[in-house]
Amino acid sequence: MKKSLLALVFGSAIFLAACGGGDDEATNDTNTGTNDTETEQTTDTGNNTGTDIASAKGEDIVKSNCTTCHGGNLEGMGSTPSLADVGSRLSEEEILNVILNGRGGMPANLIQGEDAEAAAAWLAQQK
């Protein structure tokens, strides 16, 4: 049983490491000659303080990196905890610490840098 769990954890870590990263340059829209910044500026309604954009980025990062283990709705799967209400249990700083340093079966640094901070901020709002 322990060997199976260990194999599952390491297999998941390898899988996540292989598909978790992305090409930052791929976010540019080469078909129209505009990039994401220009699109955001033209679609800004004036009611947005930047928080909504950062929140959407955090949500996208979480959905692309965490759902494999924590479930499509972040409800938790097997031995992985639910993230659907993680903000009611942990502060943003505690969530960031778990992302960067790992905890239990979760390996460290699956998400790094600004992406980790954006993910932690979005997860902290989930209550």
Side-chain angles (χ1 to χ4, degrees):
M1 177 68 181
K2 289 183 181 182
K3 288 182 182 179
S4 297
L5 181 60
L6 188 59
L8 177 65
V9 168
F10 283 118
S12 296
I14 290 170
F15 176 75
L16 289 172
C19 66
D23 184 8
D24 291 339
E25 293 180 21
T27 60
N28 289 340
D29 185 358
T30 57
N31 293 333
T32 63
T34 62
N35 62 32
D36 291 339
T37 305
E38 290 172 347
T39 303
E40 289 171 8
Q41 290 173 350
T42 59
T43 58
D44 190 3
T45 61
N47 297 331
N48 189 337
T49 62
T51 306
D52 293 339
I53 294 169
S55 180
K57 179 182 177 187
E59 181 178 9
D60 290 343
I61 292 166
V62 169
K63 289 191 178 194
S64 66
N65 291 287
C66 306
T67 56
T68 303
C69 295
H70 292 278
N73 294 321
L74 303 176
E75 72 277 6
M77 296 180 357
S79 64
T80 61
S82 170
L83 299 180
D85 62 348
V86 70
S88 65
R89 297 187 312 267
L90 299 174
S91 69
E92 183 176 337
E93 292 79 23
E94 291 170 322
I95 295 169
L96 181 60
N97 183 46
V98 172
I99 292 170
L100 296 177
N101 299 310
R103 179 193 270 180
M106 181 174 159
N109 291 314
L110 290 177
I111 308 171
Q112 299 177 1
E114 290 179 8
D115 287 350
E117 292 172 6
W122 184 80
L123 286 168
Q125 297 172 5
Q126 306 311 302
K127 299 182 182 202

Coordinates of all heavy atoms in Angstrom, one line a residue, residues 23-75:
D23 N 5.1 28.1 -22.1 CA 6.0 29.0 -22.8 C 5.4 30.4 -22.6 O 4.3 30.7 -23.2 CB 6.0 28.6 -24.3 CG 7.0 29.5 -25.1 OD1 7.7 30.3 -24.5 OD2 7.0 29.4 -26.3
D24 N 6.1 31.3 -21.9 CA 5.6 32.6 -21.6 C 5.3 33.4 -22.9 O 4.5 34.2 -23.0 CB 6.5 33.4 -20.7 CG 6.5 32.8 -19.3 OD1 5.5 32.1 -18.9 OD2 7.5 33.0 -18.6
E25 N 6.1 33.2 -23.9 CA 6.0 33.9 -25.1 C 4.7 33.5 -25.9 O 4.3 34.2 -26.8 CB 7.2 33.7 -26.0 CG 8.4 34.4 -25.4 CD 9.7 34.2 -26.3 OE1 9.5 33.9 -27.5 OE2 10.8 34.3 -25.7
A26 N 4.2 32.3 -25.6 CA 3.0 31.8 -26.3 C 1.8 32.7 -26.0 O 0.7 32.5 -26.6 CB 2.7 30.4 -25.9
T27 N 1.8 33.5 -25.0 CA 0.6 34.4 -24.6 C 0.5 35.5 -25.6 O -0.6 36.2 -25.6 CB 0.7 34.9 -23.2 OG1 1.9 35.7 -23.1 CG2 0.7 33.8 -22.2
N28 N 1.5 35.8 -26.4 CA 1.3 36.9 -27.4 C 0.4 36.4 -28.5 O 0.5 35.3 -29.0 CB 2.7 37.3 -28.0 CG 3.5 38.1 -27.0 OD1 3.0 38.6 -26.0 ND2 4.8 38.1 -27.2
D29 N -0.4 37.3 -29.0 CA -1.3 37.0 -30.1 C -0.6 37.4 -31.4 O -0.6 38.5 -31.8 CB -2.6 37.8 -29.9 CG -3.7 37.4 -31.0 OD1 -3.4 36.5 -31.9 OD2 -4.8 37.9 -30.9
T30 N 0.0 36.4 -32.1 CA 0.7 36.6 -33.3 C -0.1 36.8 -34.5 O 0.3 37.3 -35.5 CB 1.7 35.5 -33.5 OG1 1.0 34.3 -33.6 CG2 2.8 35.4 -32.4
N31 N -1.4 36.4 -34.4 CA -2.3 36.6 -35.6 C -2.7 38.0 -35.8 O -2.9 38.4 -36.9 CB -3.5 35.7 -35.4 CG -3.2 34.2 -35.5 OD1 -2.2 33.8 -36.1 ND2 -4.0 33.4 -34.8
T32 N -2.9 38.8 -34.8 CA -3.4 40.1 -34.9 C -2.3 41.2 -34.7 O -2.6 42.4 -34.8 CB -4.6 40.4 -34.0 OG1 -4.1 40.3 -32.6 CG2 -5.7 39.4 -34.2
G33 N -1.2 40.7 -34.2 CA -0.1 41.7 -33.9 C -0.3 42.4 -32.6 O 0.4 43.3 -32.3
T34 N -1.3 42.0 -31.8 CA -1.5 42.6 -30.5 C -1.0 41.6 -29.4 O -1.0 40.4 -29.6 CB -2.9 43.0 -30.2 OG1 -3.7 41.8 -30.3 CG2 -3.4 44.0 -31.3
N35 N -0.8 42.1 -28.2 CA -0.4 41.2 -27.1 C -1.5 41.4 -26.0 O -2.4 42.2 -26.1 CB 1.0 41.5 -26.6 CG 1.2 42.9 -26.0 OD1 0.3 43.5 -25.5 ND2 2.4 43.4 -26.1
D36 N -1.4 40.6 -25.0 CA -2.4 40.6 -23.9 C -2.5 42.0 -23.3 O -3.6 42.4 -22.9 CB -2.0 39.6 -22.9 CG -2.2 38.1 -23.4 OD1 -2.9 37.9 -24.4 OD2 -1.6 37.2 -22.8
T37 N -1.4 42.7 -23.1 CA -1.5 44.0 -22.4 C -2.4 45.0 -23.2 O -3.2 45.7 -22.7 CB -0.1 44.6 -22.3 OG1 0.7 43.7 -21.6 CG2 -0.1 45.9 -21.5
E38 N -2.2 45.0 -24.6 CA -3.0 45.9 -25.4 C -4.5 45.5 -25.3 O -5.3 46.3 -25.3 CB -2.5 45.9 -26.8 CG -1.2 46.5 -27.0 CD -0.6 46.3 -28.3 OE1 -1.1 45.5 -29.1 OE2 0.4 47.0 -28.6
T39 N -4.7 44.2 -25.3 CA -6.1 43.7 -25.2 C -6.8 44.2 -23.9 O -7.9 44.6 -23.9 CB -6.2 42.2 -25.4 OG1 -5.6 41.8 -26.6 CG2 -7.6 41.7 -25.3
E40 N -6.0 44.0 -22.8 CA -6.6 44.4 -21.5 C -6.9 45.9 -21.5 O -7.9 46.3 -20.9 CB -5.6 44.1 -20.4 CG -5.5 42.6 -20.2 CD -4.4 42.2 -19.2 OE1 -3.8 43.1 -18.6 OE2 -4.1 41.0 -19.1
Q41 N -6.0 46.7 -22.1 CA -6.2 48.2 -22.1 C -7.4 48.6 -22.9 O -8.1 49.5 -22.5 CB -5.0 48.9 -22.6 CG -3.8 48.7 -21.7 CD -2.5 49.3 -22.3 OE1 -2.4 49.6 -23.5 NE2 -1.5 49.4 -21.5
T42 N -7.7 47.9 -24.0 CA -8.8 48.3 -24.8 C -10.1 47.7 -24.3 O -11.2 48.3 -24.6 CB -8.6 47.8 -26.3 OG1 -8.5 46.4 -26.2 CG2 -7.4 48.4 -26.9
T43 N -10.1 46.7 -23.4 CA -11.3 46.1 -22.9 C -11.6 46.6 -21.5 O -12.6 46.2 -20.9 CB -11.3 44.6 -22.9 OG1 -10.2 44.1 -22.2 CG2 -11.2 44.1 -24.3
D44 N -10.8 47.4 -20.9 CA -11.0 47.9 -19.6 C -12.1 48.9 -19.5 O -12.2 49.8 -20.3 CB -9.7 48.6 -19.1 CG -9.7 48.9 -17.6 OD1 -10.7 48.6 -16.9 OD2 -8.8 49.6 -17.1
T45 N -13.1 48.6 -18.6 CA -14.3 49.4 -18.5 C -14.2 50.5 -17.5 O -15.1 51.3 -17.4 CB -15.5 48.5 -18.1 OG1 -15.2 48.0 -16.8 CG2 -15.8 47.4 -19.1
G46 N -13.0 50.6 -16.9 CA -12.8 51.6 -15.9 C -13.3 51.2 -14.5 O -13.0 51.8 -13.5
N47 N -14.0 50.1 -14.4 CA -14.5 49.6 -13.1 C -13.5 48.6 -12.5 O -13.7 48.1 -11.4 CB -15.8 48.9 -13.3 CG -16.9 49.9 -13.7 OD1 -16.8 51.0 -13.4 ND2 -17.9 49.3 -14.5
N48 N -12.4 48.3 -13.2 CA -11.5 47.3 -12.9 C -10.2 47.9 -12.3 O -9.6 48.7 -12.9 CB -11.1 46.5 -14.1 CG -10.3 45.2 -13.8 OD1 -9.7 45.2 -12.8 ND2 -10.4 44.3 -14.7
T49 N -9.8 47.5 -11.1 CA -8.6 48.0 -10.5 C -7.4 47.1 -10.7 O -6.4 47.3 -10.2 CB -8.9 48.1 -9.0 OG1 -9.1 46.8 -8.4 CG2 -10.0 49.1 -8.6
G50 N -7.6 46.1 -11.6 CA -6.5 45.2 -11.8 C -6.6 43.9 -11.0 O -6.0 42.9 -11.3
T51 N -7.4 44.0 -9.9 CA -7.7 42.8 -9.1 C -8.4 41.7 -9.8 O -8.0 40.6 -9.7 CB -8.5 43.2 -7.8 OG1 -7.8 44.3 -7.2 CG2 -8.6 42.1 -6.9
D52 N -9.3 42.1 -10.7 CA -10.1 41.1 -11.4 C -9.2 40.3 -12.4 O -9.3 39.1 -12.5 CB -11.2 41.7 -12.2 CG -12.3 42.3 -11.3 OD1 -12.4 41.8 -10.1 OD2 -13.1 43.1 -11.7
I53 N -8.3 41.1 -13.0 CA -7.3 40.4 -14.0 C -6.4 39.5 -13.2 O -6.2 38.4 -13.6 CB -6.6 41.5 -14.8 CG1 -7.5 42.3 -15.6 CG2 -5.5 40.9 -15.6 CD1 -6.9 43.5 -16.3
A54 N -5.8 40.0 -12.1 CA -5.0 39.1 -11.3 C -5.7 37.9 -10.8 O -5.1 36.8 -10.8 CB -4.4 39.9 -10.1
S55 N -6.9 38.1 -10.4 CA -7.7 37.0 -9.9 C -8.0 36.0 -11.0 O -7.9 34.7 -10.7 CB -9.1 37.5 -9.3 OG -9.8 36.4 -8.8
A56 N -8.3 36.4 -12.2 CA -8.5 35.5 -13.3 C -7.2 34.8 -13.6 O -7.3 33.6 -13.9 CB -9.0 36.3 -14.5
K57 N -6.1 35.4 -13.5 CA -4.8 34.8 -13.8 C -4.6 33.7 -12.8 O -4.2 32.6 -13.1 CB -3.7 35.8 -13.8 CG -2.3 35.1 -14.0 CD -1.2 36.1 -13.9 CE 0.1 35.4 -14.1 NZ 1.3 36.3 -13.9
G58 N -4.8 34.0 -11.5 CA -4.7 33.0 -10.4 C -5.6 31.8 -10.6 O -5.1 30.7 -10.4
E59 N -6.8 32.1 -11.0 CA -7.7 31.0 -11.2 C -7.3 30.1 -12.4 O -7.3 28.9 -12.3 CB -9.1 31.5 -11.6 CG -10.2 30.4 -11.8 CD -11.6 31.0 -12.0 OE1 -11.7 32.2 -12.2 OE2 -12.5 30.2 -12.1
D60 N -6.8 30.7 -13.5 CA -6.3 29.9 -14.6 C -5.1 29.1 -14.2 O -5.0 27.9 -14.6 CB -5.9 30.9 -15.8 CG -7.1 31.5 -16.4 OD1 -8.2 31.0 -16.2 OD2 -6.9 32.5 -17.1
I61 N -4.2 29.7 -13.4 CA -3.0 28.9 -13.0 C -3.4 27.7 -12.1 O -2.9 26.6 -12.3 CB -2.1 29.9 -12.2 CG1 -1.5 30.9 -13.2 CG2 -1.0 29.1 -11.5 CD1 -0.8 32.1 -12.5
V62 N -4.3 27.9 -11.2 CA -4.8 26.8 -10.3 C -5.5 25.8 -11.2 O -5.2 24.6 -11.0 CB -5.7 27.4 -9.2 CG1 -6.4 26.2 -8.5 CG2 -5.0 28.2 -8.2
K63 N -6.3 26.2 -12.1 CA -7.0 25.2 -12.9 C -6.1 24.4 -13.8 O -6.3 23.2 -14.1 CB -8.2 25.8 -13.6 CG -9.3 26.2 -12.7 CD -10.5 26.6 -13.4 CE -11.6 27.0 -12.3 NZ -12.9 27.1 -12.8
S64 N -5.0 25.0 -14.2 CA -4.1 24.3 -15.1 C -3.1 23.5 -14.4 O -2.5 22.6 -15.0 CB -3.4 25.2 -16.1 OG -2.6 26.1 -15.4
N65 N -2.9 23.7 -13.1 CA -1.8 23.0 -12.4 C -2.3 22.2 -11.2 O -1.6 21.3 -10.8 CB -0.8 24.0 -11.8 CG 0.0 24.7 -12.9 OD1 0.9 24.1 -13.5 ND2 -0.3 25.9 -13.2
C66 N -3.5 22.4 -10.7 CA -3.9 21.8 -9.4 C -5.0 20.7 -9.6 O -5.2 19.9 -8.7 CB -4.3 22.8 -8.4 SG -3.0 24.1 -8.1
T67 N -5.8 20.8 -10.7 CA -6.9 20.0 -10.8 C -6.6 18.5 -11.0 O -7.4 17.7 -10.8 CB -7.9 20.5 -12.0 OG1 -7.1 20.5 -13.2 CG2 -8.4 21.8 -11.7
T68 N -5.4 18.2 -11.5 CA -5.0 16.8 -11.7 C -5.1 16.1 -10.4 O -5.6 14.9 -10.4 CB -3.6 16.7 -12.3 OG1 -3.6 17.5 -13.5 CG2 -3.2 15.3 -12.5
C69 N -4.6 16.7 -9.3 CA -4.6 16.0 -8.0 C -5.8 16.4 -7.2 O -6.3 15.6 -6.4 CB -3.3 16.3 -7.3 SG -1.9 15.6 -8.1
H70 N -6.2 17.6 -7.2 CA -7.3 18.1 -6.3 C -8.7 18.1 -6.9 O -9.6 18.5 -6.3 CB -7.0 19.6 -5.9 CG -5.8 19.6 -5.0 ND1 -5.8 19.4 -3.7 CD2 -4.5 19.9 -5.3 CE1 -4.6 19.5 -3.1 NE2 -3.7 19.8 -4.1
G71 N -8.8 17.6 -8.2 CA -10.1 17.5 -8.8 C -10.5 18.7 -9.6 O -10.1 19.8 -9.4
G72 N -11.4 18.4 -10.6 CA -11.8 19.5 -11.5 C -12.5 20.6 -10.9 O -12.4 21.8 -11.3
N73 N -13.2 20.4 -9.8 CA -13.9 21.4 -9.0 C -13.1 21.7 -7.7 O -13.7 22.3 -6.8 CB -15.3 21.1 -8.7 CG -16.1 21.0 -10.0 OD1 -16.0 21.8 -10.9 ND2 -17.0 20.0 -10.0
L74 N -11.9 21.3 -7.6 CA -11.0 21.4 -6.5 C -11.6 20.8 -5.2 O -11.3 21.2 -4.1 CB -10.7 22.9 -6.2 CG -10.0 23.6 -7.4 CD1 -9.9 25.1 -7.1 CD2 -8.7 23.0 -7.8
E75 N -12.4 19.8 -5.4 CA -13.1 19.1 -4.3 C -12.3 18.1 -3.5 O -12.7 17.6 -2.5 CB -14.4 18.4 -4.8 CG -14.1 17.1 -5.7 CD -13.8 17.4 -7.1 OE1 -13.6 18.6 -7.5 OE2 -13.7 16.4 -7.9

